[in-house]
Amino acid sequence: LTTIIGTAVATSALGLAALASTGVASASTVDDTFISVITDEGIKAPSAKEAIGVAEDVCSILDKGGDLLDAVSAVADYTDLEFEDSAFFVGASIASYCPEHRAVID
């Protein structure tokens, strides 16, 4: 389980890094890049605003001492995404909105 979470989270972080290196991130806002990455993964949010709000909640969970599993479980519960998609979403959230928590991915 931890391996699945780690792999999905790391994959989404790498996807964001790839976008940044191609200039996409600099040409748009962090929000636009985040939405692009999760959309490219096939994750459809009811709205960009809601997806960004959930991503910020991920950071809040980690800020309060929660771990990766706590964050992934919260996203899965709130969004009804499959567990692997929730892990990808958490990775994209961390890379976009709270890179100070990047250590939980490594």
Side-chain angles (χ1 to χ4, degrees):
L1 182 62
T2 303
T3 303
I4 292 170
I5 294 170
T7 300
V9 169
T11 300
S12 65
L14 288 172
L16 280 167
L19 279 178
S21 69
T22 62
V24 172
S26 62
S28 64
T29 68
V30 171
D31 294 344
D32 292 338
T33 303
F34 172 74
I35 296 300
S36 176
V37 167
I38 64 169
T39 301
D40 288 351
E41 183 65 16
I43 297 171
K44 294 181 174 68
S47 70
K49 183 178 178 179
E50 185 170 351
I52 292 163
V54 173
E56 290 169 346
D57 290 344
V58 165
C59 297
S60 180
I61 289 167
L62 298 172
D63 288 344
K64 293 175 183 172
D67 63 14
L68 199 53
L69 184 57
D70 294 330
V72 173
S73 295
V75 169
D77 290 345
Y78 182 78
T79 63
D80 291 329
L81 289 173
E82 295 294 326
F83 203 77
E84 189 170 318
D85 286 342
S86 295
F88 186 93
F89 188 99
V90 166
S93 300
I94 293 169
S96 298
Y97 298 104
C98 49
E100 67 273 15
H101 291 297
R102 184 75 186 253
V104 300
I105 299 171
D106 299 332

